[in-house]
Amino acid sequence: MKLQEIAILLPCHSLEDFPSEGDSDTADGLFAAWTALWHPALLADSGRKPTWYRADNPPSEFAGRLYVVPPASEAKLVAGWVDRALEGGAAVIVDQLKRGAIVEEALAQLDAGAPTVDDETAADFFALGFAFLMVELLTRQMRYMSNLDQIHMENQSVAAARAAMAGDMETSGGHLKRCFEVLQEARERFYPVDSYLIDLTLLAETTLQAGLKRELERGDTTSVLASGEVLQRLFDEAPENGRLLRESIARGRASVVGGEWRETELPLLPANDLIENLTRGLETHEQLLGKRPMVFGRRRAGLSPMLPQVLTRFGFKAALHMTLDDGLFPKSDQSRIRWEGIDRSVIDCLARIPLDASRPESFLGLCRALGDSMDRDQVATMIFAHWPDRACTWYDDLRRVARHCDCLGKFTTLDDYFTQTTGSGRLVRFEPEKYRVPYLHQAVAKQDPRPVSFSIERHEQAGAKFKTETLTALASMLGCTATPTNESAEVSARGAQQAAALAACLTRGSSDAREGLLVFNVHSAARDLPVEWPASWGRLSAPSSPQQSLGDRLSLIHISEPTRLRRISYAVFCLK
């Protein structure tokens, strides 16, 4: 059949009420039907670009027409219309969710049969159709009337299709370029500055093989979210993929987001453990990739208002103020903010929650989300998160559109995003209670026998380790020969060894053989603490140190002068 018109029946009255919500089947059906009609063979045969009609008011002309009815439109279709259309000489494709199946059925209607078209060429035309729909929807989302030059767009798209069918790919490419330029000009009428798209590829121990290789070999701009531990496994188990990632970073096509060695329960970590985790993670990033991450981020819940202070001290330039599991964190009405911590440290942050690039329904609401960002943000920004090579077809179309023009935004790495753009300068400070983590729930679900005591024990061990390291440092600074430490011994035992060495150093050469007590405060603030005090020793004598009797064995001592590593000071308490 010689096509006179190709059209889709939509479940809306106008593009203003095009569905922006729905399930995966709704999204797949609508986008597959729309983009399939932009196949170059269909454009070349009909001599027209695709159009659309309301499903509840379908066309009455049938001869030489090809109509596609997505599943979302079937319920609105007038009863008996499909049978009348078929009897009138139309070709009608119904109940299809896959673009390939729709294209196959449509091409079978052509007089010459299904032509052979290069997959890359067809994909460019599908992307053109996707971009055309998105720009039209975005125009209306931004409360503008369409200013697209429809006639010029139709002429150029048909010319590109006929050149492609004739095998003249250079001419076809030139016409396609002009089509994308028309869409770019239409977008710039209502938003004349750049908008940014950020691809966030998530890495885990199970996603380091073939999928990641395909993702990196495509050469698309991406930011990879990975901990140091995952990167180490990548280079150990899939060194070729590690090399590809390192080369992509060197070419500026990729950046790595992270910083930690392992994504542990960050808000519950003792300060020293947090510092060690970040130090080891940054060292691993630099060793494997040749550079440290500029942007901090984590997939697991664990944001905390203390992070700006820590991250700025470690040299991070920015952070992601969002996580991707069950945790709760405060939202911002701006995509880019300046996050103020509890000590008034400030770090630039991207606070927009990513769209799931693997879910087709994410793209039903894409124009609404992008329009909202254009309305509210200093810099319009959209983030898409996905596992390696797990994005849906419509995200692939979006990435292909971005290779031709910036009508929907340009993809950039997070490093470049924070380097090349500026935020509104707005400071945002969130209260600590706004951050909720699901650690206890997750531990109980895993049947962890110590869901609460594990964290307590970790803090106790960290405290003992800190005391041991402080005593060791003091002994070394005083010129004492450190006592050999059995590393397999308990932390408290090693601390006792170092305390004994330090006491021996301080009393070296003293002729006073009286029994006494030497107390060190290893912390940087005054403390009240109970100490063992045998009643036979009598009353305690200490300069300006109040004491309280707690029975025959204990007294409460207030240490007013903390021990600092930069200024050695200690308190000696002895008998009269």
Side-chain angles (χ1 to χ4, degrees):
M1 153 172 91
K2 178 68 173 72
L3 295 177
Q4 298 182 34
E5 184 180 57
I6 48 180
I8 176 178
L9 273 62
L10 294 178
C12 54
H13 294 84
S14 67
L15 290 182
E16 279 82 356
D17 61 336
F18 185 90
S20 60
E21 296 180 350
D23 57 16
S24 295
D25 287 348
T26 298
D28 277 334
L30 289 170
F31 290 135
W34 184 282
T35 58
L37 295 181
W38 288 77
H39 190 280
L42 301 178
L43 293 175
D45 192 82
S46 66
R48 301 177 61 181
K49 69 177 178 62
T51 187
W52 69 276
Y53 293 96
R54 289 168 48 179
D56 60 356
N57 187 23
S60 57
E61 296 184 4
F62 301 128
R65 267 70 177 178
L66 170 64
Y67 298 116
V68 180
V69 184
S73 300
E74 292 181 25
K76 295 180 177 293
L77 199 61
V78 176
W81 180 85
V82 173
D83 292 335
R84 293 198 304 274
L86 293 173
E87 292 171 358
V92 183
I93 301 173
V94 297
D95 198 29
Q96 287 289 356
L97 297 176
K98 300 299 182 183
R99 181 162 62 192
I102 295 174
V103 169
E104 184 177 353
E105 284 193 43
L107 296 182
Q109 304 297 324
L110 302 181
D111 291 335
T116 302
V117 180
D118 178 73
D119 288 343
E120 284 295 305
T121 300
D124 282 338
F125 279 89
F126 295 148
L128 176 62
F130 182 80
F132 177 85
L133 174 62
M134 290 292 108
V135 169
E136 289 288 87
L137 294 177
L138 185 57
T139 301
R140 290 156 176 81
Q141 177 67 34
M142 296 298 291
R143 301 166 298 281
Y144 276 75
M145 294 181 62
S146 176
N147 51 48
L148 192 65
D149 189 339
Q150 300 284 351
I151 296 176
H152 182 59
M153 181 74 180
E154 183 170 80
N155 291 339
Q156 291 298 320
S157 59
V158 171
R162 287 175 172 167
M165 298 309 297
D168 186 353
M169 305 314 300
E170 183 177 354
T171 300
S172 176
H175 288 296
L176 267 180
K177 180 180 179 181
R178 284 188 281 276
C179 287
F180 282 107
E181 288 174 349
V182 170
L183 296 176
Q184 179 74 30
E185 291 173 3
R187 200 294 305 269
E188 289 178 350
R189 292 291 182 91
F190 58 83
Y191 194 77
V193 295
D194 289 334
S195 57
Y196 293 86
L197 307 176
I198 295 171
D199 177 272
L200 191 62
T201 302
L202 311 176
L203 289 193
E205 292 83 352
T206 56
T207 63
L208 305 178
Q209 301 296 332
L212 178 59
K213 184 176 182 180
R214 289 190 294 269
E215 188 79 36
L216 295 172
E217 286 179 339
R218 276 198 293 264
D220 291 317
T221 301
T222 186
S223 296
V224 177
L225 179 60
S227 66
E229 183 178 37
V230 170
L231 285 177
Q232 187 66 65
R233 290 194 62 168
L234 169 64
F235 278 83
D236 290 343
E237 299 175 6
E240 176 63 18
N241 293 348
R243 182 188 62 79
L244 288 173
L245 176 58
R246 187 168 53 234
E247 290 177 354
S248 296
I249 293 172
R251 294 197 304 268
R253 304 298 297 174
S255 66
V256 171
V257 183
E260 297 174 278
W261 164 251
R262 179 179 297 150
E263 291 189 358
T264 57
E265 297 83 354
L266 188 149
L268 304 182
L269 286 180
N272 280 4
D273 286 4
L274 171 59
I275 292 172
E276 289 178 4
N277 192 34
L278 279 170
T279 300
R280 184 180 180 186
L282 291 173
E283 289 174 350
T284 302
H285 280 77
E286 190 161 12
Q287 176 188 355
L288 298 177
L289 302 176
K291 63 180 297 186
R292 292 168 39 145
M294 187 180 94
V295 182
F296 173 85
R298 54 184 284 135
R299 178 171 56 89
R300 189 183 181 193
L303 297 180
S304 165
M306 70 177 178
L307 272 177
Q309 174 184 1
V310 176
L311 298 180
T312 53
R313 299 301 190 277
F314 271 92
F316 285 96
K317 302 301 181 184
L320 296 181
H321 190 269
M322 53 83 178
T323 54
L324 302 175
D325 70 353
D326 294 335
L328 298 179
F329 51 89
K331 310 300 190 297
S332 172
D333 58 0
Q334 291 277 320
S335 292
R336 181 165 176 175
I337 62 174
R338 289 178 59 76
W339 184 17
E340 184 179 7
I342 55 178
D343 73 330
R344 300 194 180 277
S345 295
V346 176
I347 190 168
D348 284 334
C349 283
L350 191 55
R352 178 169 286 273
I353 299 175
L355 294 177
D356 187 345
S358 67
R359 299 175 66 87
E361 59 266 35
S362 296
F363 297 87
L364 284 177
L366 174 60
C367 290
R368 183 174 62 184
L370 187 54
D372 180 69
S373 182
M374 288 178 174
D375 276 335
R376 294 173 179 269
D377 292 331
Q378 176 84 2
V379 179
T381 308
M382 292 300 302
I383 313 176
F384 302 89
H386 61 95
W387 297 108
D389 200 37
R390 288 292 183 270
C392 71
T393 301
W394 320 121
Y395 188 57
D396 292 337
D397 282 357
L398 177 63
R399 288 197 281 199
R400 187 174 288 270
V401 170
R403 295 174 202 156
H404 290 281
C405 73
D406 298 337
C407 64
L408 299 177
K410 62 179 182 180
F411 279 95
T412 184
T413 66
L414 278 167
D415 285 5
D416 289 342
Y417 174 80
F418 282 106
T419 300
Q420 298 171 4
T421 67
T422 57
S424 63
R426 178 185 175 187
L427 287 177
V428 180
R429 183 170 184 170
F430 300 111
E431 297 301 321
E433 60 267 19
K434 298 293 185 181
Y435 298 89
R436 304 290 179 88
V437 292
Y439 301 151
L440 182 59
H441 175 78
Q442 292 171 352
V444 172
K446 294 177 182 178
Q447 298 183 343
D448 189 329
R450 300 182 303 151
V452 177
S453 60
F454 173 76
S455 179
I456 297 174
E457 291 174 6
R458 183 161 55 186
H459 275 268
E460 290 175 344
Q461 292 172 358
K465 182 180 179 182
F466 175 75
K467 294 175 185 177
T468 300
E469 292 174 346
T470 302
L471 292 171
T472 303
L474 284 171
S476 176
M477 294 171 71
L478 290 172
C480 304
T481 303
T483 303
T485 303
N486 183 359
E487 291 298 328
S488 64
E490 293 290 336
V491 175
S492 58
R494 296 202 300 270
Q497 286 180 319
Q498 297 303 324
L502 182 56
C505 176
L506 291 173
T507 58
R508 185 172 49 203
S510 174
S511 59
D512 191 346
R514 290 180 300 170
E515 197 173 23
L517 181 66
L518 178 64
V519 179
F520 281 93
N521 179 14
V522 298
H523 297 276
S524 58
R527 304 178 67 210
D528 290 330
L529 71 160
V531 296
E532 295 251 350
W533 190 263
S536 60
W537 283 12
R539 297 293 294 170
L540 180 67
S541 174
S544 302
S545 296
Q547 55 184 306
Q548 177 183 349
S549 175
L550 299 178
D552 292 337
R553 296 286 297 170
L554 295 176
S555 290
L556 188 66
I557 298 177
H558 176 77
I559 306 178
S560 59
E561 181 67 28
T563 300
R564 300 177 185 274
L565 294 182
R566 294 182 180 178
R567 174 168 163 260
I568 304 172
S569 61
Y570 53 91
V572 179
F573 299 87
C574 60
L575 293 176
K576 289 184 180 179

